[in-house]
Amino acid sequence: MFKKVLSLFLVVTMLLGAAFAFSACGNENGGDETTDNGEVNEKVAVKAALICLHGDSSTYDKNFIDAFKVACANKGLTEADYTIITDIPEGTECYDKAADFADSGYNVIFADSFGHEAYMIQAAKEYPNVQFCHATGTKAHTEGLANYQNAFASIYQGRFLAGVAAGLKLVELYGDAEGKVSDENAKIGYVGAHPYAEVVSGYTSFYLGVKSVVANVTMEVRYTGSWYDETAEKTTAEALIAAGCKLISQHADSMGAPTACENAGIPNVAYNGETGKNTFVIASRIDWVPYYEYMLDCVMNGEDIADDWTGTLANGAVKITALGAAAAEGTQAKLDEVAAKLNDGSLKVFDCATFTVNGETLTEYLADVDDAGDFQPETNVIRTENGITFFDESADRSAPYFDIRIDGITEID
């Protein structure tokens, strides 16, 4: 009898020891982690929620959704630990959903659209023990809430690279023996959602990328008045093509513009995903996995999340897709060369020597970086580094604030 009891005791002891070792050394959600010096850090269990403006038929929202699933899996969260909710308008419904998540025990909540910001802030004020994170917003660094943060990326780097690819395509199609493109064939079009700084920064950086290859390029921009309207985006692209644009890009979230390009045989540079079979050149996008992993790590470890987080080419948050069937020969080598210069700082996207405003070179520009709701510019964002004078986008806030209309680009309402 004594031997049986002793054997049972030894088995139980071994099982308890194994369970403790697994708990101490594991990286699962809510588990403990042993540090290099043998101390055990208790990790906070995470319940995460993602609030999206649209569903995955929107290339913009799909980009967030896919990255969220990857990051959660990478950090040991199961499908029981996170929730994704779609089709949440930029209104009080966003607050309602955020509050519901907070009441249900979620401790980190992320929303993906600019117009969600006021409602996320409202929820953050009411639930101080829950972290609320928001893409493209502007107010985290002025609100002063410990549990509300903004994140975005220097996507203008990716758009500039996409513009280089577009310029090479124009040269391939229309360049003469010396590679020069006529004024008629150097006209391109851009489908924009709204005339906000995010869109203006994006189309300007794309244009400057094209201009670095085709010096006489001009661009026509037309707005749809919506982030996601497939019919409006298609008809707007068709209008640009009818106006003589030889290549179309976009800051809009459906397949409308790429479809118009495919139908007309016009090269297309997309945003957030590969589009079209024969006319697709390249796309740029933000990879949200690095931010989501950072956000989840902070919550797990009880650490503060930065008020403003900016992704870059260097940290893997700014991406360009694989080249499409319509890309010009030699494009990848050129993109590798330009990306290296962007990473080492020897090339600046908004180099003031590469554009003018009403015929003048910028030497100073006040931007509305610390917006208090009055939209009054207060921060000079023209700076000089290593002999380059440039508009310093992203240095003062993660969300874009480049809202300058430069020469060579025409806006049509």
Side-chain angles (χ1 to χ4, degrees), residues 47-126:
K47 287 199 71 175
L50 172 62
I51 298 173
C52 297
L53 180 61
H54 300 112
D56 60 10
S57 61
S58 158
T59 56
Y60 176 82
D61 296 274
K62 186 177 187 301
N63 192 47
F64 282 96
I65 292 167
D66 291 347
F68 194 72
K69 292 177 180 178
V70 170
C72 286
N74 289 348
K75 290 300 169 183
L77 276 66
T78 69
E79 291 185 4
D81 300 317
Y82 69 86
T83 298
I84 299 169
I85 188 166
T86 60
D87 299 304
I88 304 304
E90 295 172 319
T92 55
E93 191 170 355
C94 176
Y95 162 77
D96 292 338
K97 295 300 181 183
D100 287 346
F101 281 128
D103 285 333
S104 300
Y106 287 77
N107 50 6
V108 58
I109 302 165
F110 185 98
D112 77 351
S113 192
F114 180 78
H116 287 147
E117 179 161 46
Y119 308 99
M120 291 290 282
I121 291 173
Q122 180 184 355
K125 289 178 178 178
E126 295 183 18

Side-chain angles (χ1 to χ4, degrees), residues 102-184:
D103 285 333
S104 300
Y106 287 77
N107 50 6
V108 58
I109 302 165
F110 185 98
D112 77 351
S113 192
F114 180 78
H116 287 147
E117 179 161 46
Y119 308 99
M120 291 290 282
I121 291 173
Q122 180 184 355
K125 289 178 178 178
E126 295 183 18
Y127 296 90
N129 295 323
V130 177
Q131 295 298 317
F132 295 85
C133 303
H134 177 246
T136 78
T138 64
K139 299 183 181 299
H141 72 296
T142 54
E143 283 290 325
L145 295 172
N147 66 325
Y148 178 72
Q149 300 89 23
N150 291 141
F152 201 59
S154 55
I155 188 58
Y156 52 87
Q157 293 179 316
R159 288 195 184 274
F160 184 90
L161 289 168
V164 171
L168 293 172
K169 184 61 181 179
L170 290 177
V171 171
E172 180 183 71
L173 289 175
Y174 305 109
D176 60 19
E178 297 178 350
K180 294 181 180 179
V181 179
S182 67
D183 290 346
E184 178 185 2

